[in-house]
Amino acid sequence: MTGPSETRVKPQPSRSSDPTVAVAFGGGGARGLAHTHIIRALDDMGIRPVAISGSSIGAIMGAAMASGMTGEEISDYTLGLVGNTTDIVARLFRRPASIAAATDRGFRIGQFDVQRIVQNFMPDSVPHEFDRLQIPLSVIATDYYGHHETVFEEGDLWSALAASAAIPALFRPVRRDGRIFIDGGIFNPVPYDHILGKADIVLAIDVVGTPRGDSRRIPRPIDSLYGTSQLMMRSILKLKLKVQPPDVFIQPPVSNFRVMDFLKARQIVEVTAPVYDEVRRKLERALEDRVREPAG
């Protein structure tokens, strides 16, 4: 697996006199592919975040950005990957060699090893350790038996990303530091609270979505399970926004996609493309307002 091309022009850092920006990437499975538009918008505006936080897919996208990848590189890597079904299967079941070993006695719900999946799908340009990132990153996971969220900011990065992305009923929980962790979105679907005060402007992106379908039909058990998680996360986020909202809040139109619709990556990217302009417009306004604020 090779990293992104090094011939592309990297975004230039913001001037020291410019207001600073921090970004929180929310969780939502395949819906989080919409985050690439936010990263591209920041790239094109010449904005280099001073801090990043993320839950689940948001932590993975945040790690890619914090490692120095551009939004275009992240998008190209993802679309290139999902466009090759043979490569996906090879990566999914690479080490251990057998499908049964990879899924603990077959395709049973909750048996996939998310740590191995992160290991086999992550671009080589994303380092294994937090201290090798170019931008400080906070990765949110849920301590299952501790009944609270945990914030990872140092040590092994990839195990933290796996813990944050361990979606219940799909992936096995992750053991780290003697604790058991599951999806960070369970406790904190858009972890902008962890970057408040770290920048002049806090940008938060919500890709949780809402359950969609035929209102005359009872949803399938798996859809009901994931839809219930969406409703729970919406409730958490609604309360957070009421208590202390971020400076800029973005909700890409992702509700028509399911959490594991990664094979619909191109469609997700196309449908959510308008958020690129929305981010630029709202950020420009926030930056202008910040500059106009009286000193002191």
Side-chain angles (χ1 to χ4, degrees), residues 16-81:
S16 58
S17 59
D18 293 337
T20 56
V21 176
V23 188
F25 294 107
R31 297 183 288 266
L33 297 176
H35 288 316
T36 57
H37 298 302
I38 284 77
I39 300 173
R40 284 199 307 109
L42 293 170
D43 291 343
D44 292 345
M45 294 177 72
I47 295 175
R48 190 73 165 162
V50 296
I52 297 173
S53 63
S55 289
S56 200
I57 186 69
I60 292 173
M61 288 288 181
M65 185 181 194
S67 71
M69 293 181 70
T70 66
E72 185 178 359
E73 288 171 339
I74 297 170
S75 180
D76 287 350
Y77 178 84
T78 303
L79 295 178
L81 192 62

Coordinates of all heavy atoms in Angstrom, one line a residue, residues 16-81:
S16 N 0.4 34.2 10.9 CA 0.3 34.2 12.3 C -0.7 35.2 12.8 O -1.2 35.1 13.9 CB 1.7 34.6 12.9 OG 2.2 35.8 12.4
S17 N -1.0 36.2 12.0 CA -2.0 37.3 12.4 C -3.4 36.8 12.2 O -4.4 37.5 12.6 CB -1.7 38.6 11.7 OG -1.8 38.4 10.2
D18 N -3.6 35.7 11.4 CA -5.0 35.3 11.1 C -5.6 34.6 12.3 O -4.9 34.0 13.2 CB -5.0 34.3 10.0 CG -4.6 34.9 8.7 OD1 -4.7 36.1 8.5 OD2 -4.1 34.2 7.8
P19 N -7.0 34.7 12.5 CA -7.6 33.9 13.5 C -7.4 32.4 13.4 O -7.3 31.9 12.2 CB -9.1 34.2 13.3 CG -9.1 35.6 12.6 CD -7.9 35.5 11.7
T20 N -7.2 31.7 14.4 CA -6.9 30.3 14.4 C -8.2 29.5 14.3 O -9.3 29.9 14.8 CB -6.1 29.8 15.6 OG1 -6.8 30.2 16.8 CG2 -4.7 30.5 15.6
V21 N -8.1 28.3 13.7 CA -9.3 27.4 13.5 C -8.9 26.0 14.1 O -7.8 25.5 13.9 CB -9.7 27.3 12.0 CG1 -10.8 26.3 11.8 CG2 -10.0 28.7 11.5
A22 N -9.9 25.4 14.8 CA -9.8 24.0 15.2 C -11.0 23.3 14.6 O -12.1 23.9 14.4 CB -9.8 23.9 16.7
V23 N -10.9 22.0 14.3 CA -11.9 21.2 13.6 C -12.3 20.0 14.4 O -11.4 19.2 14.8 CB -11.5 20.9 12.2 CG1 -12.6 20.3 11.4 CG2 -10.9 22.1 11.5
A24 N -13.6 19.7 14.5 CA -14.1 18.4 15.1 C -14.8 17.7 14.0 O -15.8 18.1 13.4 CB -15.0 18.7 16.2
F25 N -14.3 16.5 13.7 CA -14.9 15.6 12.7 C -15.8 14.5 13.4 O -15.3 13.8 14.2 CB -13.9 14.9 11.8 CG -13.1 15.8 11.0 CD1 -11.7 16.1 11.3 CD2 -13.6 16.4 9.9 CE1 -11.0 17.0 10.5 CE2 -12.8 17.3 9.1 CZ -11.5 17.5 9.4
G26 N -17.1 14.5 13.1 CA -18.0 13.6 13.7 C -18.0 12.2 13.2 O -17.5 12.0 12.1
G27 N -18.6 11.3 13.9 CA -18.7 9.9 13.5 C -20.0 9.6 12.7 O -21.0 10.3 12.9
G28 N -19.9 8.6 11.9 CA -21.1 8.3 11.1 C -20.8 7.2 10.0 O -21.6 7.0 9.1
G29 N -19.7 6.4 10.2 CA -19.4 5.4 9.3 C -19.2 6.0 7.9 O -18.5 7.0 7.7
A30 N -19.7 5.3 6.9 CA -19.5 5.7 5.5 C -19.9 7.2 5.2 O -19.4 7.8 4.4 CB -20.2 4.8 4.5
R31 N -20.9 7.6 6.0 CA -21.3 9.0 5.9 C -20.2 10.0 6.1 O -20.2 11.2 5.6 CB -22.5 9.3 6.8 CG -23.7 8.4 6.5 CD -24.9 8.8 7.4 NE -24.7 8.3 8.8 CZ -25.1 7.2 9.3 NH1 -25.8 6.3 8.5 NH2 -24.9 6.9 10.5
G32 N -19.2 9.6 6.8 CA -18.0 10.5 7.1 C -17.2 10.7 5.9 O -16.3 11.6 6.0
L33 N -17.4 10.1 4.8 CA -16.7 10.4 3.6 C -16.9 11.9 3.2 O -16.1 12.5 2.4 CB -17.0 9.5 2.5 CG -16.7 8.0 2.7 CD1 -17.1 7.1 1.6 CD2 -15.1 7.8 2.9
A34 N -18.0 12.4 3.7 CA -18.3 13.9 3.4 C -17.3 14.8 4.0 O -17.1 15.9 3.6 CB -19.7 14.2 3.9
H35 N -16.5 14.3 5.0 CA -15.5 15.1 5.6 C -14.4 15.6 4.6 O -13.8 16.6 4.9 CB -14.8 14.3 6.7 CG -15.7 14.1 8.0 ND1 -16.4 15.1 8.5 CD2 -15.8 13.0 8.7 CE1 -17.1 14.6 9.6 NE2 -16.7 13.4 9.7
T36 N -14.3 14.8 3.5 CA -13.2 15.2 2.6 C -13.5 16.6 2.0 O -12.6 17.4 1.7 CB -13.2 14.2 1.4 OG1 -14.4 14.1 0.8 CG2 -12.7 12.8 1.9
H37 N -14.8 17.0 1.9 CA -15.1 18.3 1.3 C -14.7 19.4 2.3 O -14.2 20.5 1.9 CB -16.6 18.4 1.1 CG -17.1 17.5 0.1 ND1 -16.6 17.4 -1.2 CD2 -18.1 16.5 0.1 CE1 -17.3 16.5 -1.9 NE2 -18.1 15.9 -1.1
I38 N -14.8 19.1 3.6 CA -14.4 20.1 4.6 C -12.9 20.3 4.6 O -12.4 21.4 4.6 CB -14.9 19.7 6.0 CG1 -16.4 19.9 6.2 CG2 -14.2 20.5 7.1 CD1 -17.3 18.9 5.5
I39 N -12.2 19.2 4.4 CA -10.7 19.3 4.4 C -10.3 20.0 3.1 O -9.4 20.9 3.2 CB -10.1 17.9 4.5 CG1 -10.5 17.2 5.8 CG2 -8.6 18.0 4.4 CD1 -10.1 15.8 5.9
R40 N -10.9 19.8 2.0 CA -10.6 20.5 0.8 C -10.8 22.0 0.9 O -10.1 22.8 0.4 CB -11.4 19.9 -0.4 CG -10.9 18.6 -0.9 CD -11.4 18.3 -2.3 NE -12.8 18.4 -2.5 CZ -13.4 19.4 -3.1 NH1 -12.7 20.4 -3.7 NH2 -14.8 19.4 -3.2
A41 N -12.0 22.3 1.5 CA -12.3 23.7 1.7 C -11.2 24.4 2.6 O -10.8 25.5 2.2 CB -13.7 23.9 2.3
L42 N -10.8 23.8 3.6 CA -9.8 24.3 4.5 C -8.5 24.5 3.7 O -7.8 25.5 3.8 CB -9.6 23.5 5.7 CG -10.7 23.4 6.7 CD1 -10.5 22.3 7.8 CD2 -10.9 24.8 7.4
D43 N -8.1 23.5 2.9 CA -6.9 23.5 2.1 C -7.0 24.7 1.2 O -6.0 25.5 1.1 CB -6.8 22.2 1.2 CG -6.5 21.0 2.1 OD1 -6.1 21.1 3.2 OD2 -6.7 19.9 1.5
D44 N -8.1 24.9 0.5 CA -8.2 25.9 -0.5 C -8.2 27.3 0.1 O -7.9 28.3 -0.6 CB -9.4 25.7 -1.4 CG -9.2 24.5 -2.3 OD1 -8.1 24.0 -2.4 OD2 -10.2 24.0 -2.8
M45 N -8.7 27.4 1.3 CA -8.7 28.7 2.0 C -7.3 29.0 2.7 O -7.1 30.0 3.3 CB -9.8 28.7 3.1 CG -11.2 28.6 2.5 SD -12.5 28.6 3.8 CE -12.4 30.3 4.5
G46 N -6.4 28.0 2.6 CA -5.1 28.2 3.2 C -5.1 28.1 4.8 O -4.3 28.7 5.5
I47 N -6.2 27.4 5.3 CA -6.3 27.3 6.7 C -5.7 26.0 7.2 O -6.1 24.9 6.8 CB -7.8 27.4 7.1 CG1 -8.4 28.7 6.8 CG2 -8.0 27.0 8.6 CD1 -9.9 28.9 7.0
R48 N -4.8 26.1 8.2 CA -4.2 24.9 8.8 C -4.7 24.9 10.2 O -4.3 25.7 11.0 CB -2.7 25.1 8.8 CG -1.9 23.9 9.2 CD -1.9 22.9 8.1 NE -0.9 21.8 8.3 CZ -0.9 20.7 7.7 NH1 -1.9 20.4 6.9 NH2 0.0 19.8 7.9
P49 N -5.6 23.9 10.5 CA -6.1 23.9 11.9 C -5.0 23.7 13.0 O -4.0 23.1 12.7 CB -7.0 22.6 11.9 CG -7.3 22.4 10.5 CD -6.1 22.8 9.7
V50 N -5.2 24.4 14.1 CA -4.2 24.2 15.2 C -4.6 23.1 16.1 O -3.7 22.7 16.9 CB -4.2 25.5 16.0 CG1 -3.7 26.7 15.2 CG2 -5.6 25.8 16.6
A51 N -5.8 22.5 15.9 CA -6.1 21.3 16.7 C -7.3 20.6 16.0 O -8.1 21.2 15.3 CB -6.6 21.7 18.1
I52 N -7.3 19.3 16.1 CA -8.3 18.4 15.5 C -8.8 17.4 16.5 O -8.0 16.9 17.3 CB -7.8 17.7 14.2 CG1 -7.3 18.6 13.2 CG2 -8.8 16.7 13.7 CD1 -6.6 18.0 12.0
S53 N -10.1 17.2 16.5 CA -10.7 16.1 17.3 C -11.6 15.3 16.4 O -12.1 15.7 15.4 CB -11.5 16.6 18.5 OG -12.6 17.4 18.1
G54 N -11.8 14.0 16.8 CA -12.7 13.2 16.0 C -13.2 11.9 16.7 O -12.5 11.4 17.6
S55 N -14.4 11.5 16.3 CA -14.9 10.2 16.8 C -15.1 9.3 15.6 O -15.6 9.7 14.5 CB -16.3 10.5 17.4 OG -16.1 11.1 18.7
S56 N -14.8 8.0 15.7 CA -15.0 7.0 14.8 C -14.4 7.4 13.4 O -13.2 7.6 13.3 CB -16.6 6.8 14.7 OG -16.8 5.5 14.1
I57 N -15.2 7.4 12.3 CA -14.7 7.8 11.0 C -14.1 9.2 11.0 O -13.2 9.5 10.3 CB -15.8 7.7 9.9 CG1 -15.2 7.9 8.5 CG2 -16.9 8.6 10.2 CD1 -14.3 6.8 8.0
G58 N -14.6 10.0 11.9 CA -14.1 11.4 12.0 C -12.7 11.4 12.6 O -11.9 12.2 12.2
A59 N -12.4 10.4 13.5 CA -11.0 10.3 14.0 C -10.1 9.9 12.9 O -8.9 10.3 12.8 CB -11.0 9.3 15.2
I60 N -10.6 9.0 12.1 CA -9.7 8.5 11.0 C -9.4 9.6 10.0 O -8.3 9.8 9.5 CB -10.4 7.2 10.3 CG1 -10.4 6.1 11.3 CG2 -9.7 6.9 9.0 CD1 -11.2 4.9 10.8
M61 N -10.5 10.3 9.6 CA -10.3 11.4 8.7 C -9.4 12.5 9.3 O -8.6 13.1 8.7 CB -11.7 12.0 8.3 CG -12.5 11.2 7.4 SD -11.8 11.1 5.7 CE -13.0 10.1 4.9
G62 N -9.6 12.7 10.6 CA -8.8 13.7 11.3 C -7.3 13.3 11.4 O -6.5 14.2 11.2
A63 N -7.1 12.0 11.5 CA -5.7 11.5 11.6 C -5.0 11.7 10.2 O -3.9 12.1 10.1 CB -5.7 10.1 12.0
A64 N -5.8 11.5 9.1 CA -5.3 11.7 7.8 C -4.9 13.1 7.6 O -3.8 13.4 7.1 CB -6.3 11.2 6.7
M65 N -5.8 14.0 8.0 CA -5.5 15.5 7.8 C -4.3 15.9 8.7 O -3.4 16.6 8.3 CB -6.7 16.3 8.2 CG -6.5 17.8 7.9 SD -7.9 18.8 8.3 CE -7.4 20.3 7.5
A66 N -4.3 15.4 9.9 CA -3.2 15.7 10.9 C -1.9 15.2 10.4 O -0.8 15.7 10.8 CB -3.6 15.2 12.3
S67 N -1.9 14.2 9.6 CA -0.6 13.6 9.1 C 0.0 14.4 7.9 O 1.1 14.2 7.5 CB -0.8 12.1 8.7 OG -1.6 12.1 7.5
G68 N -0.9 15.3 7.4 CA -0.4 16.1 6.3 C -1.1 15.9 5.0 O -0.8 16.5 4.0
M69 N -2.0 14.9 4.9 CA -2.7 14.6 3.7 C -3.7 15.7 3.4 O -4.3 16.3 4.3 CB -3.4 13.3 3.7 CG -2.6 12.1 3.8 SD -3.5 10.5 3.9 CE -4.2 10.4 2.2
T70 N -3.8 16.1 2.1 CA -4.8 17.1 1.7 C -6.2 16.4 1.5 O -6.3 15.2 1.4 CB -4.4 17.7 0.3 OG1 -4.5 16.7 -0.7 CG2 -3.0 18.3 0.4
G71 N -7.2 17.2 1.4 CA -8.5 16.7 1.2 C -8.6 15.9 -0.1 O -9.3 14.9 -0.2
E72 N -7.9 16.4 -1.1 CA -7.9 15.8 -2.4 C -7.2 14.4 -2.4 O -7.7 13.4 -3.0 CB -7.3 16.6 -3.5 CG -7.3 16.1 -4.9 CD -6.7 17.0 -5.9 OE1 -6.2 18.1 -5.5 OE2 -6.6 16.6 -7.1
E73 N -6.1 14.4 -1.6 CA -5.4 13.1 -1.5 C -6.2 12.1 -0.7 O -6.3 10.9 -1.1 CB -4.1 13.3 -0.8 CG -3.1 14.1 -1.6 CD -1.8 14.5 -0.8 OE1 -1.9 14.6 0.4 OE2 -0.8 14.7 -1.5
I74 N -6.9 12.5 0.3 CA -7.8 11.6 1.1 C -8.9 11.1 0.2 O -9.2 9.9 0.2 CB -8.3 12.3 2.3 CG1 -7.2 12.7 3.3 CG2 -9.3 11.4 3.1 CD1 -7.6 13.6 4.4
S75 N -9.5 11.9 -0.5 CA -10.6 11.5 -1.4 C -10.1 10.6 -2.5 O -10.8 9.5 -2.7 CB -11.2 12.8 -2.0 OG -12.3 12.4 -2.9
D76 N -9.0 10.9 -3.1 CA -8.5 10.0 -4.2 C -8.1 8.6 -3.6 O -8.4 7.6 -4.3 CB -7.3 10.7 -4.8 CG -7.6 11.8 -5.7 OD1 -8.8 12.0 -6.0 OD2 -6.7 12.5 -6.1
Y77 N -7.5 8.6 -2.4 CA -7.1 7.3 -1.8 C -8.4 6.5 -1.5 O -8.4 5.3 -1.9 CB -6.4 7.6 -0.5 CG -6.0 6.3 0.2 CD1 -4.8 5.6 -0.2 CD2 -6.8 5.8 1.2 CE1 -4.4 4.5 0.4 CE2 -6.4 4.6 1.8 CZ -5.3 3.9 1.5 OH -4.9 2.8 2.1
T78 N -9.4 7.1 -1.0 CA -10.6 6.4 -0.6 C -11.4 5.9 -1.8 O -11.8 4.7 -1.9 CB -11.5 7.3 0.2 OG1 -10.9 7.8 1.4 CG2 -12.8 6.6 0.7
L79 N -11.6 6.8 -2.8 CA -12.3 6.4 -4.0 C -11.5 5.3 -4.8 O -12.1 4.4 -5.4 CB -12.6 7.6 -4.9 CG -13.5 8.6 -4.2 CD1 -13.7 9.8 -5.2 CD2 -14.9 8.0 -3.9
G80 N -10.2 5.4 -4.8 CA -9.4 4.4 -5.5 C -9.5 3.1 -4.8 O -9.5 2.0 -5.4
L81 N -9.7 3.1 -3.5 CA -9.7 1.9 -2.7 C -11.1 1.2 -2.9 O -11.1 0.0 -3.2 CB -9.5 2.2 -1.2 CG -9.3 1.0 -0.3 CD1 -8.0 0.3 -0.6 CD2 -9.2 1.5 1.2

